């Protein structure tokens, strides 16, 4: 994540204002949740802003606001709806189990985005062992797999495969929950939920939806500090 403060960093409403861009080794990303969370945490840790200040990041996905919510940082992201789709045969061959429903994200510019595959159970999602070589060749977008939660306290679980950008499986994916939150809110009839991303590391997210905005809450800790010299 690259953060560039706007003017003195503070607007008329005492919001901390900055431009924010996200990059992978393969190129720029349109939205990245964990790097946004890390940016807020780093700004506070280094004294650029106080914990009670709201941050407004100007990004390729619009203005994203972040604020303190108890012990967590809550991020305000755009909701991303999906529409029903057919399962590509090449993608079916990459998984050992067929999903019960298939959807595709439609981006604001009309292009196709991530695929969303709903499976029959949380256990199925946790135990999926995709063929990453086949998955890498099958699609040029991310693949979200999900199911209704059966573990205590989780409304839904998910995993995210981004082989097309060199990540077999992401640990925790904020942008995927901009798709998952409105989808499960409609299915479960809830506006606030607890989600679990069942990667090897795993991650719990508090999610809620209001109109066309998704609010994701999480915590961050500092594990490394460094200095770049030019």
């Amino acid at each position: 994540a690259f953060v560039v403060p706007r003017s003195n960093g503070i607007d008329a409403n005492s919001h901390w204002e900055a431009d924010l861009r996200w990059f992978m080794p393969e190129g720029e990303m349109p939205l990245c949740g964990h790097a946004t969370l890390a940016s807020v945490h780093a700004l506070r840790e280094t004294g650029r802003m106080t914990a009670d200040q709201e941050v407004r990041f100007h990004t390729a996905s619009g203005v994203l606001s972040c604020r303190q919510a108890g012990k967590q940082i809550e991020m305000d992201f755009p909701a991303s709806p999906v529409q029903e789709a057919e399962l590509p045969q090449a993608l079916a061959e990459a998984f050992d189990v067929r999903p019960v429903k298939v959807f595709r994200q439609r981006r604001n510019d009309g292009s196709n985005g991530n695929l969303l595959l709903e499976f029959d159970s949380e256990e199925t999602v946790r135990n999926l062992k995709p063929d990453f070589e086949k998955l890498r060749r099958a699609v040029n977008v991310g693949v979200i797999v999900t199911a209704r939660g059966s573990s205590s306290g989780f409304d839904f679980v998910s995993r995210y495969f981004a082989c097309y950008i060199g990540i077999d499986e992401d640990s925790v994916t904020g942008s995927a929950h901009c798709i998952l939150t409105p989808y499960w809110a409609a299915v479960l009839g809830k506006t606030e939920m607890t989600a679990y991303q069942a990667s090897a590391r795993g991650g719990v997210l508090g999610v809620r939806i209001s109109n066309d905005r998704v609010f994701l809450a999480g915590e961050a800790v500092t594990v490394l500090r460094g200095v770049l010299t030019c």
Side-chain angles (χ1 to χ4, degrees):
F2 290 79
V3 181
V4 180
R6 289 195 163 195
S7 63
N8 64 357
I10 308 296
D11 71 2
N13 297 312
S14 297
H15 297 141
W16 208 90
E17 298 267 338
D19 294 304
L20 174 63
R21 297 172 70 183
W22 311 275
F23 289 86
M24 296 285 292
E26 293 78 8
E28 187 167 5
M29 303 294 290
L31 185 64
C32 184
H34 56 272
T36 303
L37 185 74
S39 297
V40 178
H41 175 75
L43 289 168
R44 291 175 176 176
E45 285 281 287
T46 54
R48 265 59 167 195
M49 54 170 290
T50 61
D52 61 346
Q53 279 183 305
E54 181 176 312
V55 193
R56 289 170 55 87
F57 290 125
H58 298 261
T59 78
S61 292
V63 177
L64 310 179
S65 299
C66 304
R67 65 179 184 85
Q68 196 68 27
K71 293 182 178 181
Q72 296 183 314
I73 297 168
E74 184 178 68
M75 303 176 291
D76 176 355
F77 280 8
S80 187
V82 294
Q83 59 188 33
E84 288 193 57
E86 294 293 326
L87 181 67
Q89 182 58 36
L91 187 59
E93 293 173 2
F95 287 95
D96 53 355
V97 182
R98 290 188 70 88
V100 295
K101 294 179 181 178
V102 180
F103 301 89
R104 185 181 285 277
Q105 174 196 20
R106 292 293 285 179
R107 299 193 180 105
N108 290 336
D109 62 5
S111 63
N112 289 328
N114 292 320
L115 283 159
L116 174 65
L117 312 182
E118 183 185 346
F119 286 87
D120 59 351
S121 70
E122 176 180 327
E123 183 180 15
T124 298
V125 168
R126 287 177 177 268
N127 292 333
L128 281 175
K129 293 180 174 62
D131 183 320
F132 290 118
E133 282 303 317
K134 289 183 178 179
L135 193 56
R136 197 168 288 114
R137 296 192 299 268
V139 290
N140 61 353
V141 296
V143 180
I144 306 166
V145 298
T146 188
R148 189 187 299 252
S150 57
S151 300
S152 176
F154 300 130
D155 292 290
F156 64 88
V157 299
S158 68
R159 294 170 68 184
Y160 182 67
F161 307 111
C163 299
Y164 76 107
I165 56 170
I167 299 175
D168 285 347
E169 182 169 2
D170 195 20
S171 297
V172 184
T173 316
S175 58
H177 284 79
C178 292
I179 299 169
L180 288 160
T181 301
Y183 176 74
W184 284 111
V187 172
L188 301 176
K190 292 184 172 184
T191 57
E192 295 190 30
M193 295 165 286
T194 301
Y196 182 70
Q197 190 154 331
S199 62
R201 190 180 77 186
V204 179
L205 299 91
V207 302
R208 65 184 178 92
I209 187 166
S210 178
N211 298 319
D212 61 348
R213 305 298 295 182
V214 167
F215 298 85
L216 310 175
E219 297 180 46
V221 296
T222 300
V223 295
L224 181 69
R225 293 178 185 269
V227 176
L228 298 178
T229 57
C230 299

